[in-house]
Amino acid sequence: MFADFGFDTLTAPDLVPYLGLAIGLAFGALAEITGFCFRRAVTGPTETRRPALGIWMAALATAILGTRRRQRPG
């Protein structure tokens, strides 16, 4: 699979740190842009509490749906 992308010498264990770093940076950037903060959703100012909770709940729902196991038929 990796040879298809031009990574002939990389194996899956070698690629994991790079993918983890990329996902972490993407999450950090998106969290900064959207104001993703659980503490603000619970104890923040009243006017920012509801939007922060909405963003947090959307992220939680996405995580649950994205990591759920699918059962094979039969």
Side-chain angles (χ1 to χ4, degrees):
M1 175 178 130
F2 297 120
D4 296 338
F5 296 107
F7 302 119
D8 296 333
T9 59
L10 275 179
T11 63
D14 295 335
L15 194 59
V16 167
Y18 299 113
L19 288 176
L21 180 63
I23 291 170
L25 288 173
F27 177 77
L30 286 172
E32 184 67 31
I33 291 168
T34 62
F36 180 81
C37 179
F38 183 68
R39 183 180 171 275
R40 187 173 56 139
V42 175
T43 63
T46 307
E47 62 273 359
T48 63
R49 204 177 293 170
R50 190 172 184 97
L53 185 59
I55 291 169
W56 198 86
M57 289 299 211
L60 179 63
T62 302
I64 290 170
L65 291 174
T67 58
R68 138 187 126 154
R69 266 184 110 182
R70 293 188 174 91
Q71 293 181 351
R72 296 182 189 169

